[in-house]
Amino acid sequence: MIALVAHDERKSDLLDWVRANHEQVVRHGLVATRSTAGLLRRELGLTVRAVESGPHGGDQQIGSMVIGGEVTSLVFFWDPLWAAPHAHDVLALVRVAVLHDIPVALNPASALAMSRDGFTLERTATGAR
């Protein structure tokens, strides 16, 4: 399953990326934080599992899904100029993704590389998880 997360200032970038890579993305189950899931449903008609919004624990829910092996790729378009009270949750989610050796895209260029690869990196050769 691919987790899709975007800060408010980056939601349009994520929407554009999903639209451009629709064929690759829809082959996988999708999970997103609440407002991002709503946007993807409304704009693209996608079936997306929604968790809470980031500030309400959604990043932690997705982190738990990474640990449990449900989420195998993370696309998180974060705003590098963003500062918010739940910044530690964002860092924790990225940390868990790195520890569990799943592909992480933090911007359109890295997300494009993942989609062009067909998300084959979801399962690493090392088997780390």
Side-chain angles (χ1 to χ4, degrees):
M1 181 179 314
I2 302 169
L4 302 171
V5 183
H7 287 146
D8 290 342
E9 296 298 318
R10 302 298 309 276
K11 288 194 189 310
S12 64
D13 292 334
L14 182 66
L15 186 62
D16 291 344
W17 174 77
V18 172
R19 186 178 286 121
N21 296 281
H22 185 269
E23 185 177 319
Q24 292 294 337
V25 172
V26 298
R27 292 180 183 168
H28 305 265
L30 302 175
V31 62
T33 50
R34 187 161 311 283
S35 62
T36 300
L39 177 70
L40 293 168
R41 289 173 182 154
R42 193 172 48 255
E43 297 292 323
L44 302 177
L46 295 178
T47 300
V48 183
R49 178 177 169 186
V51 297
E52 294 294 326
S53 65
H56 292 266
D59 297 333
Q60 293 174 353
Q61 286 178 289
I62 291 174
S64 177
M65 294 170 76
V66 170
I67 293 167
E70 290 177 82
V71 167
T72 53
S73 293
L74 172 63
V75 176
F76 192 154
F77 285 10
W78 68 287
D79 180 358
L81 303 177
W82 163 86
H86 75 288
H88 57 280
D89 294 332
V90 172
L91 179 58
L93 173 55
V94 173
R95 181 181 297 121
V96 164
V98 170
L99 286 171
H100 287 265
D101 202 23
I102 68 166
V104 177
L106 298 175
N107 59 33
S110 56
L112 179 61
M114 284 171 60
S115 62
R116 283 187 178 161
D117 174 64
F119 295 93
T120 61
L121 293 175
E122 285 185 313
R123 303 273 181 212
T124 63
T126 63
R129 299 208 27 137

